Amino acid sequence: MEGCFSVASLKNLLVGDKQGTQLRAYNFPLLTFGAFFLFRFAVWLYNRGMNDFLKRHCDGPGGIREMLVIALPMVVSSACGTVMIFTDRLFLSRLSSQQMSAAMGGGLTCFMLTTFVIGLTGYSTALVAQYLGAGQKERCPAATTQAMIICLLAYPIILACRPLGLWLFEAMKIPAEQLVLQKVYFNILLYWVIIDLLRNCMSCFFSGIGRTRIVMFSAMLAMVVNVVLDYIFIFGKFGVPSMGIAGAAYATIIGEVVGLCVLAWAYFRKTNRNEYAVMESFNYDGNVMKKLLRFGYPSGVEFFLNLLAFDIMVLIFHSRGLVAATAVTVVFNWDMVSFIPLIGVNIGVVSLVGRYMGARNPDTAHRATMSGLKLAWLYSFCTLMMFACFPEFLVGIFRPIRPEAIFAEAFPVAVFMLRLAALYVMADAMMLVFGGALRGAGDTFWVMCISVGTHWTLVAVVAVALRVLDFTPSSAWVMLCTVLMLFSGILYLRYRSGKWRTIEVLESPHEKAVLPLPDIAVETREF
């Protein structure tokens, strides 16, 4: 028996003589058992570590799992909207760089004119949620009706602002080749903007009652329709004449109509009508309207000022010529891919932090914030690696079918900008998460000041760099990224100060009963 584990026996085992053969046969069960034991021990250690990890990060109130239940459908919905915009510009880039840049400038300006109304009516989500939490289901559609009334009244005002949008293009000295196309895209989208406004109102209703899957399905169907029609209308397929940038605008509108029809079908479905007394809600309700205007207008003002600043900043870059316009459009297309899906995480953070602060549980609210940050950083790290390692490939996706001197000159500039953008995607995630946490806790004033201050500081930096100091677009981009990262630190410092923990949003016992948002995790109804 001693020879079994001696050096000589080990040598025989390796050499393979008769004695070694007998030894292998004798020790095979022992070796098998040892390997099996080591494997099971490794599995036990892994499972124990995973269980500890899940308990520490994922399970329980404010954990990642609870955050995902709320945020994931909204992330998917936001991503679908991103795909719609991205596809428009990608297909148009095959025709020319000017058409791609015109779609960004025209579409962004059109959206900017609607942001105040979208921000204002977006507060109907909170009203719907609070009425549902108070057991007043019949009041939920009343908030949606008031939001629709605001949209219908605002529509002619938005149309009246059309000359301001066109003046902005002229004032920013957009290149003539791009300007003609940009006006076409802007005009078509603006005339049909009422579709997007009404769709937003119905999305707010279903988000408020916790049925976010309907919003997700609507966004996915609208995306599919838009992508298919983009291909047909832009390039002229299946007997349809090629419409270029006008086709992209019409495809977007039809996609929005399809999305609105899905939401309208679910809204007026018999079960929803009966449960929420939808048909009795179509009248003016002064009390609900006052709440919507009082609590919604700050969000509308902030949204408008931020988008106006961003629009001006983009147009300043475009005013430097077709090369700069092409480079910055490509970069912002990919920046949109990294940024917009994180809005879903922001919504989840606002919801959970607000809920736990209403329950006087700031520690769990902090845990929810950290869960949102982990999810946001995980996604942002993937985009960081993509921007840093494959910028040439990402920029090359927008290369026109026919060789173009403008794109060839813009290519190295866009690659540099995109690689530099990898530095601030993590900062974007921090701003959205900590900003959402402060909003959910009620620290809205400072969030608004920091957010608006950030956007208009960026405008000032870009304007001075490009218009006064006559820097290159690449140098201006370096300054922009630096300022953006600095401001993300300001939001973090505001959150870290802990002042949000002591904010009292609710005062009366009745209000305390109304606060909690519906438990989205228990919503299992099919639509």
Side-chain angles (χ1 to χ4, degrees), residues 62 121 181 216 241 340 399 473:
T121 57
L181 300 168
M216 180 178 67
I340 292 183
R399 191 183 304 276

Side-chain angles (χ1 to χ4, degrees), residues 9 12 53 66 71-72 82 88 91 151 184 189 213 246 255 265 289 298 308 310 320 322 391 401 426 448 464 504:
S9 297
N12 291 334
F53 175 84
E66 185 180 33
L72 187 58
T82 302
D88 275 5
F91 286 176
C151 291
V184 171
L189 290 182
R213 287 181 302 166
W265 169 79
M289 182 65 81
L308 176 61
F310 184 71
R320 287 300 296 259
L322 294 176
I401 296 176
M426 305 295 278
M448 181 183 71
V464 170
E504 297 282 345

Side-chain angles (χ1 to χ4, degrees), residues 288-303:
V288 178
M289 182 65 81
K290 287 179 182 177
K291 291 182 179 179
L292 188 58
L293 293 174
R294 176 186 174 188
F295 295 105
Y297 89 87
S299 296
V301 171
E302 179 185 350
F303 198 12

Side-chain angles (χ1 to χ4, degrees), residues 482-496:
T482 303
V483 172
L484 190 61
M485 288 186 286
L486 290 175
F487 271 92
S488 68
I490 294 176
L491 264 179
Y492 166 70
L493 292 176
R494 178 65 185 179
Y495 177 84
R496 188 180 179 183

